[in-house]
Structure formats: C-alpha cells, structure tokens
Amino acid sequence: MTSGDSKPHDKLFRRTFGNPRHAEGVFRTLLPGEVVARADWSRLKLEEGTYVDEELRQRQSDVLFSVPLGGRPALLYLLFEHQSSADPHMPLRMLRYLVRIWDRWVEAQPGRNAAALPAVIPMVLYHGDRPWTAATELRELIDLGPDVTAALEAYLPRWRILVDDLTALSEEELLGRQRLSTMAKLAQALLRSMRHEQVVRLLARLLDLMRELEREPAGLSDFRTLIYYVWEAGPPTEWSEVEAFMQANMGEKAGIEVRSIADVYRAQGWAKGREEGREEGREEGREEGREEGQLEAARHAVLAVFEARGLRVPDAVRDRITSCGDLGMLAIWLKRAVDVALAAEVFDQ
C-alpha cells in the first residue's frame, strides 16, 4: 500500500464502525454521561449516505447513525480522518457536512416541511502521525480580535466537535476502554499503531484480544475484516510472517480464515505477475512452480474455502472451477468465496 492509499483504512472503518454493535461503544465513550443516559441505544440505526466532499474521500470517511435522545430524534455523525495531520479547518468542513445532513433530513420529511430539525452531534476519529492540535470549535477560526463585545458574540456560531484522538492515547489506555467492543478495540489499535511498527510485533500484543474475538458469536466475520486490513495496509514483505504467526497462535477456524485470505493474495500476485510480465512476478512463478501448478493451487484454494465454510459445491460449480485456466478470474472467485452464501454466487458479476 502506498502512503496515500486510504482504501484499507476506509474499509476497516466502515465495516467496524458502520456496525451498531461496535459504533455504540465509541459513542458511549465520547459523549457526555447525560447524553449517554438519555439515548435509547436499543434503537441505534445506521443511516444511508455519505456527506464528505467528493475531493476529500481519499482521506475522510463517515457514518451517520440515528438514535432517540430524550424521546426525540437525534443523529450521531462520526467522521474518520485518515491523514497524517489534523485539518486546520475541520470545524468549518464539519459545518458543511452538518448542513447537508439537515438538508437531507428536511427533504425526507412528508411534504418537505420539517418544522424542527434533529440534533446532530459531530465527532471525529483521528489517527495521524501527531496528536490533534487543530481547532475543535468554529469560533476559533473566526478572526475578530480580543475586544469582541458580548453583543457581537451573540451572532457568532459557538459549537464544537468531539475529537477521538487515537494518536494521543497510549495502547494501554485505548485497550482499557471498557465500553468498546473487542472488535472496536482491535480496529482502533491497528489504525493507531500498524503503520509505525512491525506487524507481527503488534499482533503479538493483541493476541489475547484476537482470541477473545474468535470466541464471540460474530467473531470470525469480524476477524476476517481485521486480517484483510492487515494484508492490505501492511507491507507484503511481512505477509508470510503474519500468516505463520496466526496459524501458530490462533484457533482452527481463525487459522482457516487466515489461510484463505493468504491464498486470495497469492492468487492475485500470480495473476498480476503474469499480466504485467514483471521480473518479480516471474520469480514468484518459478518459486510456486510452472503456470499449471499455479492454476491448480488457485483452483484448490477456491474449493478449500468452500470446504472450510461448510458450503455444498454442486458438480457444475466444481467443474467450472477445476477447468478454469485464468488466474485472474480464479483470484476473483477466491476473494468472493470468503463471503458468498452459496458456492455458485462466486460467478456473479
């Protein structure tokens, strides 16, 4: 991954904090106790859409939740800032996003005539190279000098954003947050630290939490999200070491997930090497065997994922996979095989 590629961070953020099970803990951690007590968390709901400026979607992601607050509708807006330093105009940018949220709310009301607007509470999740030092209140950005009168103050917007600065937290403080789910702790720990140190060393410190996650009802699905992030955001030179560490230290089901994901990326590497004709692709091909050996391994990997997940493989599906001679297509099927409900769905466009 290049330093400017935000896609792995974006996927991890959305798959984790777009889930009410994990987002609730973040909100309970950041919001004042009185607000937490008044919210009906059993009705926390993810709302559709994004409000980020299109040109900024490479370094910002967002999720919007609705929740009754004191019996009235309220919205919780969480913006993920995945760049190396804080945006100095974040309160102004956030104001634009909030106006879009209210505009969409009004448009969605019957007759487009909403008399009252819901409260929107803005929050930022930040994991830059340095702690957040930028403004958190819109008033800080308005240049009026030191002698502003009370009469003028009445006309100035005074609201602030809540910033969850992962960079300013120690790992012990982050993992000690009692209200966060296991998955939320792991996701935040990886976002905070993975780009700064050896991946296996970090995973070793998080091993107990990962084992705890594996035992949870939806743990394997969450674990898969984490491993995809490690593979996509971490350096390829460490993939083999990560795979070996996981296989040696996690349970059987988690080990199958790791092996399946590793097979996806190996197959993609084979296809890329063949398509581009690059020297490293040719070298990898020599190490894995001749092209037919690569094809056979990729076919076996797709079927192995189905077997590990307990999916029935009809003869027609098996025949199509075992007769496929396109490494690129096998790589696509292998990636889909991790999530599909039916084996035949790997062929869907």
Side-chain angles (χ1 to χ4, degrees), residues 36-84:
V36 171
R38 297 185 65 194
D40 182 356
W41 296 108
S42 66
R43 295 171 63 186
L44 183 67
K45 176 188 174 185
L46 177 67
E47 300 292 333
E48 294 183 359
T50 180
Y51 300 87
V52 174
D53 293 329
E54 187 171 353
E55 68 272 16
L56 294 177
R57 290 178 188 172
Q58 285 299 313
R59 55 188 176 92
Q60 291 181 351
S61 306
D62 61 345
V63 290
L64 179 69
F65 283 85
S66 59
V67 65
L69 192 61
R72 298 182 181 278
L75 298 168
L76 306 177
Y77 183 62
L78 182 61
L79 180 72
F80 178 45
E81 182 81 347
H82 42 76
Q83 58 179 342
S84 59

Tab-separated table of all heavy atoms in Angstrom, residues 36-84:
chain	number	residue	atom	x	y	z
A	36	VAL	N	-25.429	10.128	27.071
A	36	VAL	CA	-25.450	8.658	27.022
A	36	VAL	C	-26.670	8.119	27.750
A	36	VAL	O	-27.351	7.194	27.281
A	36	VAL	CB	-24.151	8.082	27.639
A	36	VAL	CG1	-24.254	6.564	27.787
A	36	VAL	CG2	-22.938	8.458	26.793
A	37	ALA	N	-26.995	8.699	28.908
A	37	ALA	CA	-28.111	8.217	29.710
A	37	ALA	C	-29.461	8.469	29.046
A	37	ALA	O	-30.417	7.707	29.250
A	37	ALA	CB	-28.081	8.885	31.086
A	38	ARG	N	-29.569	9.517	28.236
A	38	ARG	CA	-30.847	9.872	27.609
A	38	ARG	C	-31.092	9.149	26.288
A	38	ARG	O	-32.203	9.169	25.767
A	38	ARG	CB	-30.907	11.382	27.379
A	38	ARG	CG	-30.866	12.205	28.659
A	38	ARG	CD	-31.043	13.678	28.349
A	38	ARG	NE	-32.362	13.954	27.801
A	38	ARG	CZ	-32.698	15.098	27.200
A	38	ARG	NH1	-31.781	16.048	27.041
A	38	ARG	NH2	-33.920	15.288	26.736
A	39	ALA	N	-30.055	8.523	25.726
A	39	ALA	CA	-30.198	7.868	24.420
A	39	ALA	C	-30.808	6.477	24.571
A	39	ALA	O	-30.510	5.749	25.524
A	39	ALA	CB	-28.842	7.767	23.737
A	40	ASP	N	-31.662	6.111	23.635
A	40	ASP	CA	-32.237	4.757	23.578
A	40	ASP	C	-31.356	3.923	22.658
A	40	ASP	O	-31.599	3.831	21.447
A	40	ASP	CB	-33.676	4.821	23.056
A	40	ASP	CG	-34.344	3.453	23.031
A	40	ASP	OD1	-33.657	2.452	23.346
A	40	ASP	OD2	-35.538	3.387	22.680
A	41	TRP	N	-30.318	3.303	23.228
A	41	TRP	CA	-29.321	2.613	22.424
A	41	TRP	C	-29.872	1.377	21.722
A	41	TRP	O	-29.298	0.915	20.737
A	41	TRP	CB	-28.121	2.244	23.293
A	41	TRP	CG	-27.417	3.452	23.813
A	41	TRP	CD1	-27.401	3.922	25.088
A	41	TRP	CD2	-26.635	4.390	23.048
A	41	TRP	NE1	-26.668	5.086	25.185
A	41	TRP	CE2	-26.181	5.393	23.942
A	41	TRP	CE3	-26.279	4.483	21.706
A	41	TRP	CZ2	-25.398	6.462	23.534
A	41	TRP	CZ3	-25.500	5.545	21.287
A	41	TRP	CH2	-25.065	6.524	22.203
A	42	SER	N	-30.990	0.852	22.200
A	42	SER	CA	-31.592	-0.312	21.535
A	42	SER	C	-32.124	0.055	20.151
A	42	SER	O	-32.390	-0.828	19.332
A	42	SER	CB	-32.726	-0.879	22.387
A	42	SER	OG	-33.815	0.046	22.472
A	43	ARG	N	-32.258	1.351	19.868
A	43	ARG	CA	-32.790	1.795	18.575
A	43	ARG	C	-31.728	2.528	17.744
A	43	ARG	O	-32.057	3.264	16.816
A	43	ARG	CB	-34.013	2.689	18.804
A	43	ARG	CG	-35.175	1.932	19.448
A	43	ARG	CD	-36.290	2.864	19.879
A	43	ARG	NE	-36.888	3.563	18.735
A	43	ARG	CZ	-37.807	4.524	18.872
A	43	ARG	NH1	-38.213	4.889	20.076
A	43	ARG	NH2	-38.308	5.116	17.790
A	44	LEU	N	-30.465	2.322	18.085
A	44	LEU	CA	-29.384	2.903	17.287
A	44	LEU	C	-29.412	2.308	15.879
A	44	LEU	O	-29.403	1.094	15.710
A	44	LEU	CB	-28.031	2.611	17.952
A	44	LEU	CG	-26.786	3.215	17.290
A	44	LEU	CD1	-26.804	4.732	17.406
A	44	LEU	CD2	-25.526	2.634	17.925
A	45	LYS	N	-29.420	3.161	14.863
A	45	LYS	CA	-29.594	2.695	13.480
A	45	LYS	C	-28.653	3.428	12.540
A	45	LYS	O	-28.542	4.653	12.586
A	45	LYS	CB	-31.047	2.932	13.042
A	45	LYS	CG	-31.330	2.572	11.584
A	45	LYS	CD	-32.720	3.008	11.188
A	45	LYS	CE	-32.981	2.786	9.697
A	45	LYS	NZ	-34.308	3.312	9.283
A	46	LEU	N	-27.987	2.679	11.681
A	46	LEU	CA	-27.131	3.269	10.654
A	46	LEU	C	-27.986	3.863	9.552
A	46	LEU	O	-28.881	3.202	9.023
A	46	LEU	CB	-26.196	2.205	10.074
A	46	LEU	CG	-25.273	2.662	8.929
A	46	LEU	CD1	-24.242	3.660	9.443
A	46	LEU	CD2	-24.588	1.457	8.286
A	47	GLU	N	-27.696	5.118	9.191
A	47	GLU	CA	-28.399	5.780	8.098
A	47	GLU	C	-27.561	5.709	6.821
A	47	GLU	O	-26.342	5.640	6.872
A	47	GLU	CB	-28.669	7.250	8.449
A	47	GLU	CG	-29.514	7.435	9.697
A	47	GLU	CD	-30.940	6.961	9.515
A	47	GLU	OE1	-31.432	6.972	8.363
A	47	GLU	OE2	-31.579	6.559	10.519
A	48	GLU	N	-28.230	5.716	5.686
A	48	GLU	CA	-27.532	5.610	4.408
A	48	GLU	C	-26.872	6.929	4.022
A	48	GLU	O	-27.281	7.999	4.455
A	48	GLU	CB	-28.507	5.192	3.303
A	48	GLU	CG	-29.083	3.792	3.471
A	48	GLU	CD	-29.978	3.420	2.312
A	48	GLU	OE1	-30.154	4.262	1.395
A	48	GLU	OE2	-30.508	2.302	2.309
A	49	GLY	N	-25.852	6.832	3.168
A	49	GLY	CA	-25.273	8.018	2.555
A	49	GLY	C	-23.969	8.457	3.177
A	49	GLY	O	-23.581	8.029	4.266
A	50	THR	N	-23.265	9.301	2.428
A	50	THR	CA	-22.044	9.933	2.899
A	50	THR	C	-22.164	11.433	2.656
A	50	THR	O	-22.869	11.863	1.738
A	50	THR	CB	-20.797	9.378	2.191
A	50	THR	OG1	-19.631	10.039	2.686
A	50	THR	CG2	-20.868	9.576	0.689
A	51	TYR	N	-21.479	12.219	3.459
A	51	TYR	CA	-21.626	13.674	3.391
A	51	TYR	C	-20.290	14.366	3.141
A	51	TYR	O	-20.217	15.589	3.095
A	51	TYR	CB	-22.268	14.183	4.692
A	51	TYR	CG	-23.628	13.567	4.910
A	51	TYR	CD1	-23.754	12.346	5.568
A	51	TYR	CD2	-24.772	14.176	4.414
A	51	TYR	CE1	-24.999	11.752	5.726
A	51	TYR	CE2	-26.020	13.587	4.569
A	51	TYR	CZ	-26.124	12.373	5.227
A	51	TYR	OH	-27.355	11.777	5.375
A	52	VAL	N	-19.249	13.603	2.970
A	52	VAL	CA	-17.907	14.135	2.771
A	52	VAL	C	-17.775	14.733	1.375
A	52	VAL	O	-18.331	14.202	0.401
A	52	VAL	CB	-16.859	13.017	2.977
A	52	VAL	CG1	-15.462	13.505	2.623
A	52	VAL	CG2	-16.897	12.522	4.413
A	53	ASP	N	-17.033	15.841	1.264
A	53	ASP	CA	-16.745	16.417	-0.046
A	53	ASP	C	-16.098	15.365	-0.929
A	53	ASP	O	-15.190	14.642	-0.494
A	53	ASP	CB	-15.784	17.611	0.089
A	53	ASP	CG	-16.428	18.781	0.818
A	53	ASP	OD1	-17.645	18.947	0.698
A	53	ASP	OD2	-15.700	19.519	1.508
A	54	GLU	N	-16.540	15.286	-2.174
A	54	GLU	CA	-16.058	14.233	-3.073
A	54	GLU	C	-14.539	14.232	-3.209
A	54	GLU	O	-13.905	13.184	-3.232
A	54	GLU	CB	-16.718	14.371	-4.440
A	54	GLU	CG	-16.404	13.216	-5.377
A	54	GLU	CD	-17.239	13.259	-6.636
A	54	GLU	OE1	-18.157	14.098	-6.730
A	54	GLU	OE2	-16.968	12.443	-7.532
A	55	GLU	N	-13.940	15.431	-3.285
A	55	GLU	CA	-12.487	15.514	-3.467
A	55	GLU	C	-11.717	15.105	-2.216
A	55	GLU	O	-10.497	14.927	-2.262
A	55	GLU	CB	-12.085	16.930	-3.888
A	55	GLU	CG	-12.276	18.002	-2.823
A	55	GLU	CD	-13.673	18.615	-2.851
A	55	GLU	OE1	-14.572	18.007	-3.480
A	55	GLU	OE2	-13.858	19.695	-2.268
A	56	LEU	N	-12.410	14.937	-1.085
A	56	LEU	CA	-11.736	14.573	0.166
A	56	LEU	C	-11.961	13.118	0.552
A	56	LEU	O	-11.509	12.688	1.614
A	56	LEU	CB	-12.214	15.477	1.305
A	56	LEU	CG	-11.847	16.957	1.183
A	56	LEU	CD1	-12.447	17.738	2.340
A	56	LEU	CD2	-10.344	17.139	1.155
A	57	ARG	N	-12.636	12.350	-0.280
A	57	ARG	CA	-12.974	10.987	0.110
A	57	ARG	C	-11.783	10.050	0.120
A	57	ARG	O	-11.897	8.921	0.567
A	57	ARG	CB	-14.094	10.447	-0.798
A	57	ARG	CG	-15.418	11.144	-0.508
A	57	ARG	CD	-16.550	10.702	-1.394
A	57	ARG	NE	-17.720	11.551	-1.163
A	57	ARG	CZ	-18.818	11.517	-1.884
A	57	ARG	NH1	-18.919	10.675	-2.913
A	57	ARG	NH2	-19.826	12.328	-1.613
A	58	GLN	N	-10.629	10.526	-0.374
A	58	GLN	CA	-9.407	9.740	-0.263
A	58	GLN	C	-8.817	9.815	1.138
A	58	GLN	O	-7.988	9.000	1.507
A	58	GLN	CB	-8.372	10.217	-1.284
A	58	GLN	CG	-8.664	9.798	-2.708
A	58	GLN	CD	-8.700	8.291	-2.873
A	58	GLN	OE1	-7.815	7.582	-2.402
A	58	GLN	NE2	-9.729	7.783	-3.521
A	59	ARG	N	-9.246	10.795	1.929
A	59	ARG	CA	-8.680	10.912	3.275
A	59	ARG	C	-9.719	11.114	4.369
A	59	ARG	O	-9.374	11.336	5.522
A	59	ARG	CB	-7.656	12.051	3.333
A	59	ARG	CG	-8.128	13.411	2.876
A	59	ARG	CD	-6.943	14.365	2.807
A	59	ARG	NE	-7.258	15.679	2.287
A	59	ARG	CZ	-7.608	16.719	3.040
A	59	ARG	NH1	-7.684	16.587	4.339
A	59	ARG	NH2	-7.853	17.884	2.495
A	60	GLN	N	-10.994	11.035	4.007
A	60	GLN	CA	-12.047	11.111	5.007
A	60	GLN	C	-13.143	10.111	4.674
A	60	GLN	O	-13.449	9.887	3.508
A	60	GLN	CB	-12.656	12.524	5.076
A	60	GLN	CG	-11.714	13.577	5.636
A	60	GLN	CD	-12.364	14.954	5.707
A	60	GLN	OE1	-13.449	15.170	5.187
A	60	GLN	NE2	-11.685	15.879	6.361
A	61	SER	N	-13.716	9.496	5.711
A	61	SER	CA	-14.870	8.613	5.578
A	61	SER	C	-15.848	8.990	6.681
A	61	SER	O	-15.454	9.597	7.677
A	61	SER	CB	-14.459	7.147	5.707
A	61	SER	OG	-13.423	6.826	4.803
A	62	ASP	N	-17.106	8.607	6.532
A	62	ASP	CA	-18.077	8.982	7.549
A	62	ASP	C	-19.183	7.955	7.677
A	62	ASP	O	-19.451	7.181	6.748
A	62	ASP	CB	-18.664	10.363	7.247
A	62	ASP	CG	-19.397	10.425	5.903
A	62	ASP	OD1	-19.216	9.495	5.073
A	62	ASP	OD2	-20.132	11.401	5.664
A	63	VAL	N	-19.819	7.939	8.840
A	63	VAL	CA	-21.028	7.154	9.080
A	63	VAL	C	-21.982	8.027	9.888
A	63	VAL	O	-21.558	8.846	10.708
A	63	VAL	CB	-20.755	5.833	9.825
A	63	VAL	CG1	-20.015	4.847	8.939
A	63	VAL	CG2	-19.982	6.073	11.121
A	64	LEU	N	-23.270	7.860	9.636
A	64	LEU	CA	-24.302	8.616	10.333
A	64	LEU	C	-25.280	7.637	10.966
A	64	LEU	O	-25.786	6.736	10.295
A	64	LEU	CB	-25.031	9.536	9.355
A	64	LEU	CG	-26.161	10.389	9.947
A	64	LEU	CD1	-25.589	11.463	10.872
A	64	LEU	CD2	-26.997	11.035	8.835
A	65	PHE	N	-25.545	7.828	12.262
A	65	PHE	CA	-26.490	6.991	12.985
A	65	PHE	C	-27.619	7.851	13.535
A	65	PHE	O	-27.411	9.017	13.904
A	65	PHE	CB	-25.802	6.287	14.156
A	65	PHE	CG	-24.962	5.111	13.759
A	65	PHE	CD1	-23.646	5.287	13.350
A	65	PHE	CD2	-25.477	3.823	13.794
A	65	PHE	CE1	-22.863	4.212	12.986
A	65	PHE	CE2	-24.699	2.737	13.424
A	65	PHE	CZ	-23.395	2.924	13.022
A	66	SER	N	-28.792	7.268	13.610
A	66	SER	CA	-29.905	7.911	14.293
A	66	SER	C	-30.160	7.172	15.605
A	66	SER	O	-29.951	5.951	15.693
A	66	SER	CB	-31.167	7.894	13.425
A	66	SER	OG	-31.545	6.562	13.103
A	67	VAL	N	-30.617	7.929	16.612
A	67	VAL	CA	-30.936	7.343	17.906
A	67	VAL	C	-31.903	8.283	18.625
A	67	VAL	O	-31.715	9.501	18.587
A	67	VAL	CB	-29.655	7.119	18.755
A	67	VAL	CG1	-28.983	8.428	19.128
A	67	VAL	CG2	-29.956	6.292	19.994
A	68	PRO	N	-32.951	7.765	19.241
A	68	PRO	CA	-33.823	8.639	20.032
A	68	PRO	C	-33.052	9.188	21.232
A	68	PRO	O	-32.366	8.448	21.934
A	68	PRO	CB	-34.952	7.709	20.478
A	68	PRO	CG	-34.931	6.579	19.485
A	68	PRO	CD	-33.484	6.391	19.135
A	69	LEU	N	-33.182	10.488	21.455
A	69	LEU	CA	-32.479	11.149	22.551
A	69	LEU	C	-33.517	11.917	23.364
A	69	LEU	O	-34.065	12.912	22.891
A	69	LEU	CB	-31.414	12.099	22.003
A	69	LEU	CG	-30.395	12.673	22.969
A	69	LEU	CD1	-29.578	11.570	23.626
A	69	LEU	CD2	-29.465	13.641	22.253
A	70	GLY	N	-33.799	11.412	24.551
A	70	GLY	CA	-34.855	12.021	25.348
A	70	GLY	C	-36.197	11.953	24.663
A	70	GLY	O	-37.017	12.859	24.805
A	71	GLY	N	-36.423	10.907	23.886
A	71	GLY	CA	-37.692	10.743	23.186
A	71	GLY	C	-37.786	11.464	21.864
A	71	GLY	O	-38.814	11.366	21.175
A	72	ARG	N	-36.755	12.193	21.476
A	72	ARG	CA	-36.774	12.937	20.218
A	72	ARG	C	-35.676	12.405	19.274
A	72	ARG	O	-34.662	11.895	19.742
A	72	ARG	CB	-36.562	14.425	20.477
A	72	ARG	CG	-37.662	15.042	21.335
A	72	ARG	CD	-37.448	16.521	21.538
A	72	ARG	NE	-38.492	17.100	22.375
A	72	ARG	CZ	-39.689	17.471	21.943
A	72	ARG	NH1	-39.973	17.332	20.659
A	72	ARG	NH2	-40.577	17.972	22.768
A	73	PRO	N	-35.879	12.550	17.971
A	73	PRO	CA	-34.863	12.037	17.034
A	73	PRO	C	-33.566	12.828	17.127
A	73	PRO	O	-33.574	14.055	17.259
A	73	PRO	CB	-35.517	12.207	15.659
A	73	PRO	CG	-36.513	13.308	15.853
A	73	PRO	CD	-37.020	13.160	17.260
A	74	ALA	N	-32.456	12.132	17.086
A	74	ALA	CA	-31.133	12.762	17.081
A	74	ALA	C	-30.233	11.969	16.151
A	74	ALA	O	-30.495	10.799	15.840
A	74	ALA	CB	-30.543	12.810	18.490
A	75	LEU	N	-29.181	12.617	15.686
A	75	LEU	CA	-28.242	11.993	14.763
A	75	LEU	C	-26.833	12.094	15.320
A	75	LEU	O	-26.434	13.136	15.866
A	75	LEU	CB	-28.317	12.671	13.389
A	75	LEU	CG	-29.670	12.576	12.676
A	75	LEU	CD1	-29.722	13.520	11.489
A	75	LEU	CD2	-29.944	11.147	12.228
A	76	LEU	N	-26.086	11.011	15.184
A	76	LEU	CA	-24.693	10.951	15.633
A	76	LEU	C	-23.829	10.783	14.395
A	76	LEU	O	-23.942	9.784	13.681
A	76	LEU	CB	-24.491	9.784	16.604
A	76	LEU	CG	-25.427	9.734	17.814
A	76	LEU	CD1	-25.148	8.487	18.648
A	76	LEU	CD2	-25.304	10.992	18.656
A	77	TYR	N	-22.975	11.758	14.151
A	77	TYR	CA	-22.168	11.772	12.926
A	77	TYR	C	-20.706	11.536	13.281
A	77	TYR	O	-20.102	12.312	14.038
A	77	TYR	CB	-22.321	13.120	12.220
A	77	TYR	CG	-21.582	13.223	10.907
A	77	TYR	CD1	-21.881	12.384	9.841
A	77	TYR	CD2	-20.584	14.184	10.721
A	77	TYR	CE1	-21.218	12.489	8.630
A	77	TYR	CE2	-19.911	14.300	9.514
A	77	TYR	CZ	-20.231	13.448	8.478
A	77	TYR	OH	-19.567	13.551	7.277
A	78	LEU	N	-20.134	10.459	12.743
A	78	LEU	CA	-18.742	10.106	13.023
A	78	LEU	C	-17.938	10.213	11.738
A	78	LEU	O	-18.187	9.499	10.767
A	78	LEU	CB	-18.644	8.686	13.588
A	78	LEU	CG	-17.249	8.204	13.977
A	78	LEU	CD1	-16.643	9.078	15.072
A	78	LEU	CD2	-17.288	6.745	14.434
A	79	LEU	N	-16.967	11.131	11.729
A	79	LEU	CA	-16.090	11.344	10.580
A	79	LEU	C	-14.729	10.738	10.881
A	79	LEU	O	-14.168	10.957	11.957
A	79	LEU	CB	-15.945	12.844	10.320
A	79	LEU	CG	-15.049	13.256	9.144
A	79	LEU	CD1	-15.718	12.947	7.816
A	79	LEU	CD2	-14.713	14.746	9.220
A	80	PHE	N	-14.197	9.970	9.945
A	80	PHE	CA	-12.894	9.334	10.116
A	80	PHE	C	-11.873	10.112	9.315
A	80	PHE	O	-11.972	10.236	8.091
A	80	PHE	CB	-12.967	7.890	9.640
A	80	PHE	CG	-11.660	7.152	9.718
A	80	PHE	CD1	-10.844	7.242	10.833
A	80	PHE	CD2	-11.239	6.348	8.670
A	80	PHE	CE1	-9.646	6.559	10.904
A	80	PHE	CE2	-10.051	5.654	8.726
A	80	PHE	CZ	-9.255	5.760	9.845
A	81	GLU	N	-10.878	10.664	10.001
A	81	GLU	CA	-9.833	11.472	9.377
A	81	GLU	C	-8.581	10.620	9.242
A	81	GLU	O	-7.853	10.402	10.209
A	81	GLU	CB	-9.564	12.716	10.246
A	81	GLU	CG	-8.547	13.669	9.689
A	81	GLU	CD	-9.113	14.610	8.636
A	81	GLU	OE1	-10.229	14.364	8.164
A	81	GLU	OE2	-8.434	15.577	8.290
A	82	HIS	N	-8.322	10.073	8.030
A	82	HIS	CA	-7.148	9.219	7.856
A	82	HIS	C	-6.090	9.929	7.016
A	82	HIS	O	-5.815	9.599	5.880
A	82	HIS	CB	-7.512	7.850	7.269
A	82	HIS	CG	-8.511	7.873	6.165
A	82	HIS	ND1	-8.216	8.248	4.896
A	82	HIS	CD2	-9.820	7.545	6.162
A	82	HIS	CE1	-9.287	8.148	4.128
A	82	HIS	NE2	-10.283	7.724	4.877
A	83	GLN	N	-5.515	10.961	7.613
A	83	GLN	CA	-4.360	11.630	7.029
A	83	GLN	C	-3.346	11.869	8.141
A	83	GLN	O	-3.633	11.691	9.322
A	83	GLN	CB	-4.766	12.940	6.370
A	83	GLN	CG	-5.453	13.942	7.274
A	83	GLN	CD	-5.790	15.226	6.528
A	83	GLN	OE1	-5.255	15.519	5.472
A	83	GLN	NE2	-6.690	16.012	7.084
A	84	SER	N	-2.128	12.270	7.765
A	84	SER	CA	-1.036	12.329	8.729
A	84	SER	C	-1.151	13.483	9.716
A	84	SER	O	-0.552	13.444	10.788
A	84	SER	CB	0.311	12.419	7.995
A	84	SER	OG	0.342	13.571	7.163
